[in-house]
């Protein structure tokens, strides 16, 4: 995470909310074959446990149970031009972003826990859509059983939380807001919103 303490984010409730909103991230682990990463959907199982699942054929899979791993969720981000600050020529370009890193121990789930995780993840994501929600009950149960054998569920038992919320908090408020306007005008509405509320 960013070394400047001005950008340190320690609000766990807000970090949980970001991970819930995104529902997706990258899972990193050291393996005998070198470092590996997998892109995974994610859902909170409780305040300190994240549920994840991976395709059974993913090479990282055989190294995960009992291993220490790192889940990274990247929220809005964007390039910030020094011109946008209005502070003169002695500014430099930067990249603003919101990110959460969760480090912990991976524990393999049994089939029933995996199905419950998928149901929870689907319910959370379907609730964000403007339509009647999809549920597993719409499928043939035999097909559900067949499809869930192609994935493996894990619990990430979180031991360390690291968050970065780099939004120009080290600049005067007027400069940060001007940069937010520039970011929005260039199509980076997500990071502009966060910058305005820093």
């Amino acid at each position: 995470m960013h070394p400047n303490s001005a950008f340190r984010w320690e609000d766990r409730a807000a970090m949980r909310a970001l991970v819930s909103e995104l529902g997706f991230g990258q899972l990193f682990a050291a393996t005998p074959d070198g470092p590996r990463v997998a892109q995974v959907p994610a859902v909170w199982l409780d305040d300190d446990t994240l549920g994840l699942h991976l395709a059974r054929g993913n090479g990282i899979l055989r190294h995960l149970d009992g291993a220490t791993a790192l889940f990274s969720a990247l929220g809005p981000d964007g390039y910030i031009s020094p011109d946008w600050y209005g502070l003169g020529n002695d500014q430099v370009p930067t990249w603003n972003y919101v990110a959460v890193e969760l480090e912990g121990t991976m524990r393999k789930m049994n089939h029933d826990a995996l199905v419950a995780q998928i149901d929870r993840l689907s319910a959370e994501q379907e609730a964000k859509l403007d339509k009647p929600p999809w549920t597993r009950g719409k499928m043939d149960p035999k097909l559900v059983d067949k499809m869930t054998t192609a994935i493996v569920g894990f619990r990430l038992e979180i031991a360390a939380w690291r968050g970065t919320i780099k939004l120009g908090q080290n600049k005067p408020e007027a400069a940060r807001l001007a940069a937010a306007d520039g970011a929005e005008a260039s199509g980076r509405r997500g990071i502009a919103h966060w910058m305005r509320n820093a």
Side-chain angles (χ1 to χ4, degrees):
M1 303 311 284
H2 200 286
N4 187 331
S5 61
F7 307 137
R8 190 168 298 133
W9 194 20
E10 298 191 12
D11 183 342
R12 287 188 180 183
M15 286 189 267
R16 274 188 207 96
L18 178 66
V19 171
S20 288
E21 179 185 331
L22 297 171
F24 195 78
Q26 291 73 43
L27 183 70
F28 298 86
T31 77
D33 304 322
R36 295 291 182 262
V37 62
Q39 286 68 42
V40 295
V43 64
W44 289 104
L45 303 178
D46 62 43
D47 284 350
D48 293 303
T49 308
L50 202 58
L52 313 165
H53 65 269
L54 297 87
R56 188 169 294 281
N58 194 312
I60 197 175
L61 186 74
R62 67 183 183 274
H63 305 292
L64 288 179
D65 196 22
T68 297
L70 179 72
F71 176 82
S72 176
L74 180 61
D77 70 289
Y79 173 80
I80 305 299
S81 172
D83 296 333
W84 295 341
Y85 294 121
L87 295 175
N89 294 329
D90 292 333
Q91 301 299 309
V92 296
T94 193
W95 207 278
N96 282 356
Y97 63 97
V98 180
V100 175
E101 291 181 3
L102 304 170
E103 182 179 335
T105 304
M106 298 290 290
R107 304 283 182 215
K108 188 175 176 181
M109 292 179 165
N110 65 30
H111 183 263
D112 291 343
L114 168 64
V115 171
Q117 178 205 136
I118 292 167
D119 285 347
R120 184 178 218 161
L121 176 67
S122 297
E124 284 188 15
Q125 296 303 317
E126 288 285 329
K128 299 174 187 177
L129 305 176
D130 185 23
K131 68 175 193 69
W134 176 90
T135 66
R136 180 171 45 92
K138 293 181 177 183
M139 292 183 69
D140 178 335
K142 290 179 182 174
L143 185 56
V144 172
D145 287 342
K146 180 180 178 183
M147 294 182 83
T148 54
T149 62
I151 58 176
V152 179
F154 285 89
R155 298 167 54 89
L156 175 62
E157 298 169 350
I158 301 165
W161 295 68
R162 291 183 289 276
T164 296
I165 188 164
K166 183 179 179 294
L167 304 170
Q169 305 95 307
N170 57 333
K171 302 288 184 189
E173 182 179 11
R176 180 175 41 81
L177 295 175
D181 291 343
E184 183 165 15
S186 70
R188 294 168 176 87
R189 291 180 185 88
I191 197 66
H193 170 78
W194 281 75
M195 291 169 68
R196 288 190 183 104
N197 293 292

